Amino acid sequence: MLKDVEISGAIIEAYMKDLLDNLTLDVAIIGAGPSGMVAAYYLAKGGAKVAIFEKKLSVGGGIWGGAMGFNRIVVEESAREILDEFGIDYGEFRPGLYVADAIEVATTIASRTVKAGVKIFNMVEVEDLVVKNDRVAGVVINWTPVKMTGLHVDPLTVEARFVIDSTGHGAQVTQHLLKRGLIEKLPGEGPMWAEMGERLTVEHTGEVFPGLYVTGMAANAVAGAPRMGPIFGGMFLSGRKAAIEILEKLKV
Protein backbone atom coordinates (compact mmCIF):
# COMPACT_ATOMS: atom_id res chain seq x y z
CA MET A 1 0.00 0.00 0.00
CA LEU A 2 1.32 3.44 -0.97
CA LYS A 3 0.84 5.98 1.78
CA ASP A 4 0.87 9.72 1.05
CA VAL A 5 2.77 10.40 4.24
CA GLU A 6 5.52 7.97 3.18
CA ILE A 7 6.15 10.08 0.08
CA SER A 8 6.47 13.17 2.25
CA GLY A 9 8.71 11.34 4.70
CA ALA A 10 11.03 10.06 1.97
CA ILE A 11 11.48 13.55 0.53
CA ILE A 12 12.05 15.21 3.90
CA GLU A 13 14.47 12.55 5.09
CA ALA A 14 16.57 12.58 1.91
CA TYR A 15 16.68 16.38 1.69
CA MET A 16 17.55 16.88 5.33
CA LYS A 17 20.35 14.33 5.09
CA ASP A 18 21.88 16.25 2.18
CA LEU A 19 21.46 19.58 3.96
CA LEU A 20 23.06 18.33 7.17
CA ASP A 21 25.90 16.73 5.20
CA ASN A 22 26.63 20.04 3.46
CA LEU A 23 26.64 22.48 6.36
CA THR A 24 30.44 22.29 6.32
CA LEU A 25 32.10 22.51 2.91
CA ASP A 26 35.39 23.02 1.20
CA VAL A 27 33.66 25.34 -1.29
CA ALA A 28 30.22 26.94 -1.31
CA ILE A 29 29.24 28.22 -4.74
CA ILE A 30 26.51 30.80 -5.04
CA GLY A 31 24.71 30.66 -8.37
CA ALA A 32 24.15 27.64 -10.61
CA GLY A 33 24.91 29.44 -13.86
CA PRO A 34 27.54 28.27 -16.35
CA SER A 35 30.63 29.42 -14.47
CA GLY A 36 29.32 28.21 -11.13
CA MET A 37 28.41 24.73 -12.35
CA VAL A 38 31.66 24.32 -14.30
CA ALA A 39 33.64 25.39 -11.23
CA ALA A 40 31.70 22.93 -9.09
CA TYR A 41 32.27 20.11 -11.57
CA TYR A 42 36.04 20.54 -11.65
CA LEU A 43 36.23 21.05 -7.88
CA ALA A 44 34.30 17.86 -7.22
CA LYS A 45 36.39 15.95 -9.76
CA GLY A 46 39.45 17.20 -7.87
CA GLY A 47 38.16 15.79 -4.59
CA ALA A 48 36.67 18.90 -2.97
CA LYS A 49 33.41 18.84 -1.04
CA VAL A 50 31.28 21.41 -2.82
CA ALA A 51 27.66 22.50 -2.94
CA ILE A 52 25.84 25.11 -5.02
CA PHE A 53 23.13 27.39 -3.64
CA GLU A 54 20.81 28.75 -6.33
CA LYS A 55 18.06 31.22 -5.50
CA LYS A 56 15.93 30.37 -8.54
CA LEU A 57 13.84 27.26 -9.12
CA SER A 58 15.90 26.26 -12.16
CA VAL A 59 19.63 26.01 -12.73
CA GLY A 60 21.59 27.17 -15.79
CA GLY A 61 21.58 30.92 -15.32
CA GLY A 62 21.32 32.78 -18.62
CA ILE A 63 21.97 29.79 -20.87
CA TRP A 64 18.39 28.71 -21.50
CA GLY A 65 17.23 31.57 -23.68
CA GLY A 66 20.36 31.81 -25.83
CA ALA A 67 19.96 35.26 -27.34
CA MET A 68 16.54 36.93 -27.43
CA GLY A 69 14.91 33.54 -27.06
CA PHE A 70 16.88 31.91 -29.90
CA ASN A 71 18.09 28.99 -27.79
CA ARG A 72 21.58 28.64 -29.20
CA ILE A 73 24.86 29.81 -27.68
CA VAL A 74 28.30 30.52 -29.14
CA VAL A 75 31.60 29.19 -27.82
CA GLU A 76 35.04 30.12 -29.12
CA GLU A 77 37.96 27.80 -29.83
CA SER A 78 39.68 28.38 -26.48
CA ALA A 79 36.76 26.82 -24.61
CA ARG A 80 35.80 24.06 -27.06
CA GLU A 81 37.62 21.49 -24.94
CA ILE A 82 35.17 22.12 -22.11
CA LEU A 83 32.25 21.29 -24.41
CA ASP A 84 34.15 18.10 -25.25
CA GLU A 85 34.75 17.39 -21.57
CA PHE A 86 31.01 17.49 -20.89
CA GLY A 87 30.11 15.60 -24.07
CA ILE A 88 28.10 18.46 -25.57
CA ASP A 89 27.44 18.47 -29.32
CA TYR A 90 28.18 21.59 -31.36
CA GLY A 91 28.56 22.77 -34.92
CA GLU A 92 31.20 24.96 -36.53
CA PHE A 93 29.92 28.34 -37.63
CA ARG A 94 33.35 29.33 -38.89
CA PRO A 95 36.85 28.23 -37.93
CA GLY A 96 37.28 28.95 -34.22
CA LEU A 97 33.61 29.70 -33.51
CA TYR A 98 31.06 27.05 -32.55
CA VAL A 99 27.31 26.95 -31.93
CA ALA A 100 25.66 24.69 -29.35
CA ASP A 101 22.07 24.03 -28.33
CA ALA A 102 21.38 26.06 -25.19
CA ILE A 103 19.06 23.43 -23.75
CA GLU A 104 21.61 20.66 -24.20
CA VAL A 105 24.32 22.83 -22.65
CA ALA A 106 22.25 23.66 -19.56
CA THR A 107 20.92 20.16 -18.96
CA THR A 108 24.17 18.34 -19.71
CA ILE A 109 26.36 20.53 -17.53
CA ALA A 110 23.82 20.30 -14.71
CA SER A 111 23.62 16.51 -14.97
CA ARG A 112 27.38 15.97 -15.17
CA THR A 113 27.92 18.36 -12.25
CA VAL A 114 25.48 16.47 -10.02
CA LYS A 115 26.94 13.11 -11.08
CA ALA A 116 30.41 14.41 -10.15
CA GLY A 117 29.15 14.63 -6.56
CA VAL A 118 27.97 18.24 -6.30
CA LYS A 119 24.83 18.94 -4.29
CA ILE A 120 22.65 21.72 -5.68
CA PHE A 121 20.20 23.43 -3.35
CA ASN A 122 17.78 25.47 -5.45
CA MET A 123 15.34 28.06 -4.09
CA VAL A 124 17.98 28.95 -1.49
CA GLU A 125 19.26 32.51 -1.35
CA VAL A 126 22.40 33.87 0.28
CA GLU A 127 21.44 36.88 2.37
CA ASP A 128 24.84 37.54 3.93
CA LEU A 129 28.39 36.29 4.31
CA VAL A 130 30.13 34.87 7.35
CA VAL A 131 33.36 36.84 7.87
CA LYS A 132 35.78 35.89 10.64
CA ASN A 133 39.23 37.34 11.23
CA ASP A 134 38.99 39.34 7.99
CA ARG A 135 38.25 36.25 5.90
CA VAL A 136 35.06 34.95 4.32
CA ALA A 137 34.27 31.73 6.17
CA GLY A 138 30.81 30.78 4.94
CA VAL A 139 27.39 31.96 3.83
CA VAL A 140 24.09 32.85 5.47
CA ILE A 141 21.16 31.20 3.70
CA ASN A 142 17.39 31.48 3.64
CA TRP A 143 14.56 30.26 1.43
CA THR A 144 14.02 32.41 -1.67
CA PRO A 145 10.25 32.65 -0.99
CA VAL A 146 11.02 34.04 2.47
CA LYS A 147 13.17 36.76 0.92
CA MET A 148 10.63 37.47 -1.83
CA THR A 149 7.78 37.95 0.62
CA GLY A 150 9.84 39.98 3.07
CA LEU A 151 9.00 37.79 6.03
CA HIS A 152 11.13 38.20 9.13
CA VAL A 153 12.57 34.69 9.35
CA ASP A 154 16.07 34.12 10.68
CA PRO A 155 18.52 32.32 8.39
CA LEU A 156 20.86 29.35 8.71
CA THR A 157 24.64 29.28 8.26
CA VAL A 158 26.90 27.15 6.07
CA GLU A 159 30.62 26.98 6.83
CA ALA A 160 33.06 26.90 3.91
CA ARG A 161 36.79 27.25 3.41
CA PHE A 162 36.10 29.16 0.19
CA VAL A 163 33.04 30.84 -1.28
CA ILE A 164 32.55 31.51 -4.99
CA ASP A 165 30.32 34.36 -6.16
CA SER A 166 28.84 33.09 -9.43
CA THR A 167 25.72 35.23 -9.24
CA GLY A 168 26.21 36.92 -12.61
CA HIS A 169 25.72 40.54 -13.55
CA GLY A 170 24.89 41.83 -10.06
CA ALA A 171 27.73 40.11 -8.15
CA GLN A 172 25.17 39.76 -5.38
CA VAL A 173 27.41 37.95 -2.92
CA THR A 174 30.25 40.44 -3.23
CA GLN A 175 27.68 43.20 -2.68
CA HIS A 176 27.44 42.08 0.94
CA LEU A 177 31.09 43.04 1.47
CA LEU A 178 30.43 46.44 -0.06
CA LYS A 179 27.37 47.06 2.14
CA ARG A 180 29.42 46.26 5.24
CA GLY A 181 32.33 48.47 4.22
CA LEU A 182 34.75 45.58 3.76
CA ILE A 183 35.54 46.61 0.18
CA GLU A 184 35.63 50.15 -1.15
CA LYS A 185 33.75 49.85 -4.44
CA LEU A 186 31.98 47.55 -6.86
CA PRO A 187 31.78 49.35 -10.20
CA GLY A 188 29.43 46.96 -12.00
CA GLU A 189 29.74 45.60 -15.52
CA GLY A 190 30.52 47.77 -18.51
CA PRO A 191 28.60 47.97 -21.82
CA MET A 192 28.60 45.16 -24.36
CA TRP A 193 31.94 44.28 -25.96
CA ALA A 194 32.05 40.55 -26.57
CA GLU A 195 35.72 40.14 -27.43
CA MET A 196 36.99 42.14 -24.48
CA GLY A 197 34.35 40.78 -22.11
CA GLU A 198 35.28 37.18 -22.91
CA ARG A 199 38.94 37.79 -22.26
CA LEU A 200 38.49 39.87 -19.12
CA THR A 201 36.01 37.55 -17.39
CA VAL A 202 38.77 34.96 -17.30
CA GLU A 203 41.49 37.46 -16.35
CA HIS A 204 39.41 38.90 -13.50
CA THR A 205 38.40 35.50 -12.13
CA GLY A 206 40.10 35.11 -8.78
CA GLU A 207 40.12 35.87 -5.07
CA VAL A 208 38.78 39.39 -4.49
CA PHE A 209 38.71 39.14 -0.70
CA PRO A 210 40.30 36.46 1.50
CA GLY A 211 38.17 33.36 1.03
CA LEU A 212 35.92 34.86 -1.66
CA TYR A 213 36.31 34.14 -5.39
CA VAL A 214 34.37 35.64 -8.28
CA THR A 215 33.63 33.92 -11.59
CA GLY A 216 31.75 34.67 -14.78
CA MET A 217 29.92 37.95 -15.06
CA ALA A 218 30.39 38.54 -11.34
CA ALA A 219 34.11 38.82 -12.06
CA ASN A 220 33.49 41.48 -14.68
CA ALA A 221 31.01 43.31 -12.45
CA VAL A 222 33.57 43.50 -9.64
CA ALA A 223 36.22 44.75 -12.07
CA GLY A 224 34.02 47.08 -14.14
CA ALA A 225 34.72 45.07 -17.31
CA PRO A 226 32.35 44.72 -20.28
CA ARG A 227 29.50 42.25 -20.64
CA MET A 228 29.64 39.86 -23.57
CA GLY A 229 26.16 38.55 -24.34
CA PRO A 230 25.38 35.02 -25.56
CA ILE A 231 28.94 33.77 -26.00
CA PHE A 232 29.83 31.45 -23.13
CA GLY A 233 33.41 30.28 -23.53
CA GLY A 234 34.67 32.83 -21.04
CA MET A 235 32.12 31.62 -18.49
CA PHE A 236 33.31 28.03 -18.80
CA LEU A 237 36.99 28.95 -18.65
CA SER A 238 36.35 31.24 -15.69
CA GLY A 239 34.74 28.43 -13.70
CA ARG A 240 37.56 26.03 -14.48
CA LYS A 241 40.21 28.62 -13.56
CA ALA A 242 38.65 29.26 -10.16
CA ALA A 243 38.41 25.52 -9.49
CA ILE A 244 42.06 24.92 -10.34
CA GLU A 245 43.24 27.77 -8.11
CA ILE A 246 41.09 26.72 -5.16
CA LEU A 247 42.11 23.07 -5.44
CA GLU A 248 45.74 24.15 -5.17
CA LYS A 249 44.98 26.16 -2.02
CA LEU A 250 42.96 23.34 -0.46
CA LYS A 251 46.04 21.11 -0.66
CA VAL A 252 48.13 23.46 1.46
Side-chain angles (χ1 to χ4, degrees):
M1 181 183 296
L2 181 63
K3 296 182 179 179
D4 294 321
V5 72
E6 284 184 323
I7 299 170
S8 298
I11 291 170
I12 293 168
E13 184 177 303
Y15 187 91
M16 288 305 174
K17 181 181 183 302
D18 280 345
L19 185 58
L20 287 169
D21 286 347
N22 286 276
L23 290 179
T24 300
L25 299 165
D26 289 322
V27 187
I29 298 177
I30 318 308
S35 69
M37 287 198 293
V38 168
Y41 170 83
Y42 283 104
L43 282 163
K45 294 281 281 187
K49 184 179 181 183
V50 54
I52 302 176
F53 300 92
E54 167 56 57
K55 73 175 185 178
K56 295 182 180 179
L57 180 61
S58 63
V59 301
I63 293 176
W64 297 99
M68 215 177 79
F70 301 167
N71 58 359
R72 299 295 184 271
I73 66 163
V74 173
V75 175
E76 63 272 47
E77 181 65 40
S78 59
R80 182 161 66 111
E81 62 182 329
I82 295 182
L83 294 178
D84 292 334
E85 166 75 19
F86 281 91
I88 295 168
D89 293 331
Y90 52 86
E92 186 178 69
F93 178 72
R94 65 162 175 77
L97 207 59
Y98 305 92
V99 180
D101 184 294
I103 308 304
E104 181 187 0
V105 172
T107 55
T108 302
I109 291 178
S111 176
R112 292 288 302 276
T113 298
V114 170
K115 289 183 182 298
V118 178
K119 295 299 180 183
I120 300 179
F121 297 93
N122 59 330
M123 295 196 300
V124 175
E125 187 166 347
V126 168
E127 67 170 52
D128 206 348
L129 286 165
V130 178
V131 180
K132 298 180 180 180
N133 299 317
D134 297 319
R135 180 181 177 85
V136 170
V139 292
V140 181
I141 60 171
N142 215 326
W143 297 119
T144 299
V146 167
K147 302 302 294 179
M148 290 176 67
T149 53
L151 295 173
H152 182 75
V153 177
D154 279 333
L156 295 172
T157 301
V158 175
E159 182 181 71
R161 294 172 66 183
F162 290 93
V163 173
I164 299 179
D165 182 351
S166 297
T167 58
H169 303 278
Q172 294 164 4
V173 173
T174 310
Q175 291 278 3
H176 294 302
L177 295 180
L178 181 66
K179 286 185 288 188
R180 297 192 178 281
L182 295 172
I183 59 174
E184 293 183 359
K185 61 179 181 179
L186 202 164
E189 66 185 19
M192 182 81 82
W193 185 359
E195 181 179 11
M196 188 64 72
E198 279 290 272
R199 177 171 64 83
L200 291 179
T201 193
V202 180
E203 287 187 15
H204 292 309
T205 294
E207 195 171 23
V208 293
F209 189 85
L212 178 65
Y213 270 72
V214 289
T215 68
M217 275 313 306
N220 277 1
V222 170
R227 62 183 300 180
M228 73 287 286
I231 182 165
F232 281 82
M235 301 289 187
F236 302 152
L237 294 170
S238 170
R240 186 176 68 177
K241 178 185 176 183
I244 291 170
E245 289 188 12
I246 292 172
L247 285 171
E248 284 298 315
K249 292 181 178 181
L250 288 173
K251 293 176 184 176
V252 176

